[in-house]
Amino acid sequence: MSGEKEPVAVESAGLPNGLVSHGNSKTRRVYETARSLHTGAVKDLLSLGVCERCIFRLVSVEAFDSDISSVSTSTLRSWLKSGDDETSASESSCSTICIVCLGILQFVFSDVKKELVKSDSSSDYVARITDLVKQDRHEFDSFGLEVSVPSTIMENERALLSYLKGKYSTEVWLQRDKISVKDALKVLLLDQLKASLGAESDSSSFHIRLTYTKASDEAQGASETTHESKRRKTDAENGSNCISENSFEKVYEPCIFSVHCNRMPIFFSGRYFKYSRNVSQSRWIIDDERMGEASVEEILGGNILPACLGDSYKFHAAGREDIDVRMLGSGRPFLIEVQNSRQLPSEQSLKEVEEKINKSEKKLVGVKDLKCIGSQCWAMMREGEAEKQKQYVALVWISRPLEEKDFNSISCLKELKILQKTPVRVLHRRSPLDREKIIHWMKVEKIKGHSHYFLLHLCTQAGTYIKEFVHGDLGRTTPSMGSILGCRAEIIQLDVTDVKMGDP
Amino acid sequence: MEILKLDVAKFPEIEDTIELTNPKRNDEVEDCDDQQKQQLATQEDEEEDELRKLLLSDIGELPISPPSATQVNFVSYFITDFTKSGHDQYIYRHANGLCVIGLAPTHIAFKDEGGITSVDFNVGKSDRSVLKVSGKRKKNALRSESNTALCKVSTAKDTYIVRCCVKGSLLEVNERLIKQPELLNSTADREGYIAIIMPRPADWTKNKESLITLEEYKEKKEMSL
């Protein structure tokens, strides 16, 4: 009947921890697991300075599961310790950092200010993590939990397992795969994190990363552990004494712990317009001097980023136009990629962003169809393949007056093939090549009172150099407007009026 | 392109300056009923009107004769009496550093009756017209010194050697001149260019010391008349 007394005592011991009734059943399971562990190994590991949860990981035949998170460190220790005769030896290592997990599974760490922090239970630990996550002000309803630990921990564990296999080689529990420190930590924390953050756990676009980095002298500790393990093998008879002595010598330092939140990039698509001839598409700085007045990239990104509370953005467009060319008509498709956004803008706030850009006093840039999308849209954005056709309007001057017959001679040219040598203006950075391009159609509009000028409307294969098609680029584009009309032709200004994509 | 940098201003009379000679026909949408057709037509008309306003909005004052692309994109330099009297050449330098080489209007060859009748790029160790420069790094480009020969131009009376004038990489020669040497007589400053050379920045600094500006060239021309 002495056996019956022990369960009663344990139950009374559990109550001060404030466990609820259903917790009791979990607690009992953990207790029974603790009592079933190999006594000699447990005693051995405790005296070495291995923590309670690592002992559960390494010695238990039962799976390491989240039930253990309901029991505090001190309770676990009392259960593992009870029945030990050498209480003084065990107690002396009570506050030691675990020689395997360096305190990670003991919920002991250095914070960013290098102050030592201890939590006796996982719930305290989870509360701390929750506070740090909430400080970052992310909105999320699900998250992925990631843990990063120093490589020395894997080395520590290999050394210890090597020691255990040398000493307890026939034991069944040694043959089982061991859950890693990293996975054990996730098991301990995940359910409680879900509760305290009010979110589900999945492969979400939002990640919480727990990062443990080692103190600077851990490399030395690792090598000492390895050395110690070897010594144990060669001197098995004196193993106990060696272990006791060495555990007193060694002091392990806890890891530095930090929490990082990160959301996978979110994407916005739309079409932009460029109304100014002094705004570049991408930010353009030469020798610390800005070219042009602004850039489409900065105007769009600079308005969208604050709506997301993100860290940074990248601008991607389906092709490009020169700084002195306006982008009109249906606009050019673009993507804005936002890193680590803390909130997803509503459709309403996107409408407000559009309105703010479009009603800007200077009217440099416009935007439409702005929306938040998944990342599958990338297919549309492969620049070399995205553009198929482009339409332009060019203001053209010719050296003789425009004649009536010119209208017909130009508009009847359909699918005109032209050959363009790499234009001089880009030859310094492009391969010298002869490129065949197609002018699909052209149309001429007279400008009253200016017989040498006209508006040339044209639709071309994407990639055609329009300026060079008009002025001929020293005859390096053939035919050109000049050669077609038999005179000199100059382009005064250019507008893009449509960009046709591969998709409809 | 020289862009006319004018304040955007609405000119009521500008609407009248445009005469559309080939009016666009709206695409037929057979499946729509009349009301939808009207709505679509109205919307298209509105968009087209909007675009038209934008197109017209920055057509400001138009000069009788705008500067040419060559004038806008290049800075003109000249070298006169290069190695021989009357051997005058131009060097147009683009903002990106590339130099276009050609015969200056005062080149002695143009004084010969009938002008230039043939161009031969087969000078020096290799025919300049068969070099095939490739890639962004301009592989196979001939390294040129200022006195490296580019070609010979011949008139009925004589033959003249044209030289690189600048040190750099010879990217291109104007092969059209072989079949159309008359381009030199009519448009030596444009379609009749002879070569394109890419100096290194340091080389250009040295090259420039031997060249004169457009203004200096004009003065020299005036004095010689």
Side-chain angles (χ1 to χ4, degrees):
Chain A
M1 295 306 109
S2 62
E4 288 185 359
K5 290 182 180 179
E6 285 183 357
V8 172
V10 169
E11 283 183 7
S12 65
L15 287 176
N17 291 293
L19 298 172
V20 297
S21 59
H22 75 269
N24 272 338
S25 68
K26 292 184 180 180
T27 306
R28 174 167 296 278
R29 272 197 355 98
V30 175
Y31 172 74
E32 287 169 358
T33 302
R35 301 309 301 163
S36 71
L37 299 181
H38 187 282
T39 307
V42 168
K43 177 180 165 184
D44 208 348
L45 294 176
L46 281 173
S47 66
L48 277 173
V50 178
C51 76
E52 300 76 19
R53 294 187 181 87
C54 280
I55 289 174
F56 266 81
R57 283 196 305 120
L58 299 171
V59 181
S60 174
V61 176
E62 304 297 328
F64 190 95
D65 62 28
S66 60
D67 284 353
I68 200 173
S69 66
S70 63
V71 188
S72 67
T73 305
S74 53
T75 300
L76 284 175
R77 173 162 288 273
S78 68
W79 293 348
L80 293 175
K81 206 172 61 174
S82 66
D84 286 356
D85 295 329
E86 303 181 17
T87 53
S88 60
S90 299
E91 283 173 1
S92 68
S93 62
C94 193
S95 61
T96 304
I97 298 300
C98 176
I99 64 171
V100 179
C101 72
L102 305 181
I104 291 174
L105 296 183
Q106 295 170 288
F107 312 132
V108 177
F109 59 88
S110 290
D111 65 9
V112 287
K113 300 171 187 171
K114 301 294 164 66
E115 293 171 5
L116 187 68
V117 181
K118 296 182 179 181
S119 305
D120 192 51
S121 67
S122 58
S123 58
D124 293 345
Y125 201 48
V126 163
R128 185 180 184 92
I129 295 170
T130 299
D131 284 348
L132 291 170
V133 169
K134 290 187 174 177
Q135 283 174 30
D136 222 36
R137 293 178 294 118
H138 274 275
E139 294 175 1
F140 55 95
D141 53 21
S142 67
F143 65 94
L145 182 64
E146 298 171 348
V147 180
S148 169
V149 300
S151 59
T152 49
I153 284 177
M154 274 70 79
E155 295 161 18
N156 295 344
E157 183 156 323
R158 276 196 294 273
L160 188 69
L161 283 173
S162 179
Y163 162 80
L164 288 175
K165 283 170 184 173
K167 195 168 182 183
Y168 304 98
S169 58
T170 58
E171 296 294 332
V172 171
W173 48 268
L174 253 183
Q175 311 311 316
R176 294 176 53 86
D177 289 335
K178 307 304 178 185
I179 187 174
S180 67
V181 169
K182 189 187 295 196
D183 289 338
L185 184 67
K186 288 185 185 179
V187 165
L188 292 169
L189 302 181
L190 191 54
D191 286 348
Q192 292 178 64
L193 262 180
K194 291 192 319 194
S196 64
L197 293 171
E200 281 305 311
S201 164
D202 58 21
S203 55
S204 166
S205 62
F206 176 70
H207 295 271
I208 299 171
R209 184 174 186 85
L210 312 181
T211 302
Y212 296 87
T213 49
K214 60 185 181 181
S216 56
D217 62 352
E218 276 313 317
Q220 182 184 353
S223 64
E224 285 179 2
T225 301
T226 304
H227 179 67
E228 188 174 326
S229 175
K230 289 178 181 176
R231 194 145 38 113
R232 289 178 197 135
K233 285 182 182 176
T234 56
D235 197 0
E237 290 184 5
N238 296 323
S240 294
N241 293 335
C242 288
I243 291 164
S244 298
E245 291 169 8
N246 289 324
S247 69
F248 298 144
E249 290 177 44
K250 195 176 309 304
V251 176
Y252 288 81
E253 290 187 15
C255 292
I256 299 166
F257 173 62
S258 56
V259 178
H260 303 277
C261 301
N262 185 263
R263 183 182 290 282
M264 297 289 279
I266 61 174
F267 294 87
F268 298 88
S269 73
R271 287 188 173 238
Y272 76 80
F273 308 90
K274 180 152 77 73
Y275 302 121
S276 166
R277 298 190 189 280
N278 196 29
V279 167
S280 56
Q281 188 198 58
S282 296
R283 198 172 103 102
W284 192 7
I285 311 287
I286 295 183
D287 296 332
D288 291 334
E289 186 178 343
R290 170 180 287 287
M291 307 301 286
E293 184 174 352
S295 70
V296 174
E297 172 184 15
E298 288 164 302
I299 291 173
L300 296 182
N303 279 278
I304 289 171
L305 190 64
C308 304
L309 302 178
D311 287 344
S312 60
Y313 67 87
K314 288 179 189 165
F315 174 79
H316 312 276
R320 66 186 69 82
E321 71 283 330
D322 294 341
I323 186 172
D324 58 348
V325 174
R326 293 190 301 177
M327 178 70 237
L328 307 176
S330 57
R332 183 187 294 281
F334 70 88
L335 280 186
I336 296 272
E337 177 186 350
V338 176
Q339 274 78 42
N340 206 18
S341 61
R342 287 165 180 78
Q343 77 186 19
L344 290 181
S346 63
E347 283 187 18
Q348 174 59 31
S349 58
L350 287 185
K351 280 281 176 276
E352 285 163 13
V353 168
E354 268 193 17
E355 193 163 313
K356 183 182 176 188
I357 293 171
N358 290 334
K359 294 194 171 173
S360 153
E361 190 172 339
K362 283 189 166 180
K363 194 75 172 173
L364 303 174
V365 164
V367 66
K368 77 172 186 182
D369 296 344
L370 186 61
K371 52 182 181 278
C372 189
I373 55 178
S375 56
Q376 71 277 0
C377 59
W378 270 108
M380 187 177 76
M381 282 296 160
R382 294 190 300 263
E383 285 197 34
E385 303 174 34
E387 290 180 320
K388 299 297 183 191
Q389 287 183 5
K390 288 166 79 171
Q391 288 181 41
Y392 301 86
V393 177
L395 179 58
V396 175
W397 171 90
I398 55 177
S399 57
R400 60 161 175 79
L402 193 64
E403 297 166 8
E404 288 301 321
K405 66 180 183 184
D406 294 326
F407 294 93
N408 281 335
S409 64
I410 291 172
S411 61
C412 73
L413 294 169
K414 304 292 187 189
E415 313 303 325
L416 172 70
K417 285 183 175 142
I418 68 173
L419 199 60
Q420 296 194 298
K421 287 185 186 292
T422 305
V424 174
R425 69 182 163 96
V426 299
L427 181 55
H428 63 302
R429 66 173 193 263
R430 299 285 166 108
S431 295
L433 291 172
D434 291 2
R435 296 177 181 82
E436 187 181 271
K437 295 294 174 182
I438 297 176
I439 311 289
H440 297 294
W441 54 259
M442 287 184 281
K443 187 186 65 166
V444 171
E445 266 191 67
K446 275 199 284 188
I447 299 178
K448 198 183 227 178
H450 298 283
S451 59
H452 287 255
Y453 287 90
F454 58 90
L455 288 181
L456 175 68
H457 298 248
L458 67 166
C459 177
T460 73
Q461 182 183 346
T464 307
Y465 292 97
I466 304 303
K467 294 171 179 171
E468 282 71 18
F469 170 64
V470 173
H471 65 65
D473 195 35
L474 306 173
R476 300 169 71 260
T477 288
T478 54
S480 64
M481 282 308 296
S483 66
I484 289 168
L485 296 175
C487 60
R488 235 184 84 215
E490 302 291 349
I491 182 166
I492 310 304
Q493 63 193 30
L494 182 62
D495 296 320
V496 180
T497 55
D498 203 5
V499 176
K500 284 185 169 49
M501 312 298 298
D503 313 60
Chain B
M1 301 306 116
E2 179 173 86
I3 301 304
L4 303 175
K5 297 192 185 294
L6 301 171
D7 289 333
V8 173
K10 288 276 184 175
F11 297 108
E13 63 273 15
I14 277 194
E15 290 284 346
D16 292 330
T17 67
I18 300 298
E19 293 179 15
L20 189 60
T21 56
N22 293 315
K24 283 184 183 177
R25 288 182 296 101
N26 289 326
D27 291 334
E28 301 262 354
V29 186
E30 294 181 4
D31 292 335
C32 294
D33 59 38
D34 286 346
Q35 188 176 358
Q36 275 184 317
K37 276 186 183 178
Q38 277 185 355
Q39 284 178 352
L40 282 176
T42 302
Q43 187 177 349
E44 284 175 6
D45 285 348
E46 284 174 2
E47 286 180 358
E48 199 166 315
D49 284 350
E50 189 71 24
L51 179 60
R52 176 162 304 283
K53 284 178 186 174
L54 280 169
L55 292 172
L56 299 179
S57 65
D58 66 353
I59 295 180
E61 297 176 18
L62 299 175
I64 290 176
S65 183
S68 69
T70 306
Q71 288 172 285
V72 170
N73 294 323
F74 296 91
V75 178
S76 300
Y77 295 91
F78 294 85
I79 188 162
T80 58
D81 304 320
F82 189 39
T83 71
K84 282 187 179 179
S85 175
H87 287 56
D88 299 349
Q89 295 182 224
Y90 67 72
I91 301 94
Y92 295 157
R93 185 171 185 265
H94 195 279
N96 64 21
L98 296 184
C99 295
V100 177
I101 313 300
L103 300 185
T106 52
H107 193 286
I108 191 169
F110 295 128
K111 296 179 166 58
D112 290 353
E113 186 176 352
I116 293 166
T117 56
S118 74
V119 178
D120 184 4
F121 288 101
N122 197 356
V123 290
K125 294 180 181 176
S126 60
D127 187 333
R128 313 298 193 223
S129 65
V130 301
L131 285 176
K132 289 308 170 195
V133 180
S134 65
K136 291 182 181 178
R137 294 177 176 273
K138 315 301 187 273
K139 197 165 56 173
N140 295 332
L142 181 78
R143 294 293 303 166
S144 75
E145 298 289 337
S146 57
N147 63 350
T148 300
L150 279 170
C151 65
K152 292 179 292 194
V153 298
S154 300
T155 63
K157 172 183 162 188
D158 207 341
T159 295
Y160 309 89
I161 295 180
V162 182
R163 300 185 185 275
C164 288
C165 305
V166 296
K167 181 177 179 180
S169 300
L170 176 60
L171 301 190
E172 180 179 310
V173 297
N174 188 0
E175 302 165 18
R176 289 177 73 191
L177 297 177
I178 299 172
K179 292 183 179 176
Q180 298 173 258
E182 62 272 13
L183 287 172
L184 284 169
N185 303 320
S186 59
T187 56
D189 59 334
R190 295 197 306 278
E191 282 78 12
Y193 79 98
I194 291 180
I196 298 178
I197 295 177
M198 184 167 76
R200 291 179 181 149
D203 285 337
W204 171 250
T205 306
K206 289 180 184 174
N207 288 328
K208 198 176 172 187
E209 293 167 9
S210 311
L211 310 179
I212 60 176
T213 64
L214 177 59
E215 290 69 33
E216 290 164 344
Y217 174 71
K218 285 176 176 175
E219 286 175 20
K220 202 163 180 179
K221 225 164 107 176
E222 287 293 322
M223 286 170 53
S224 68
L225 290 178

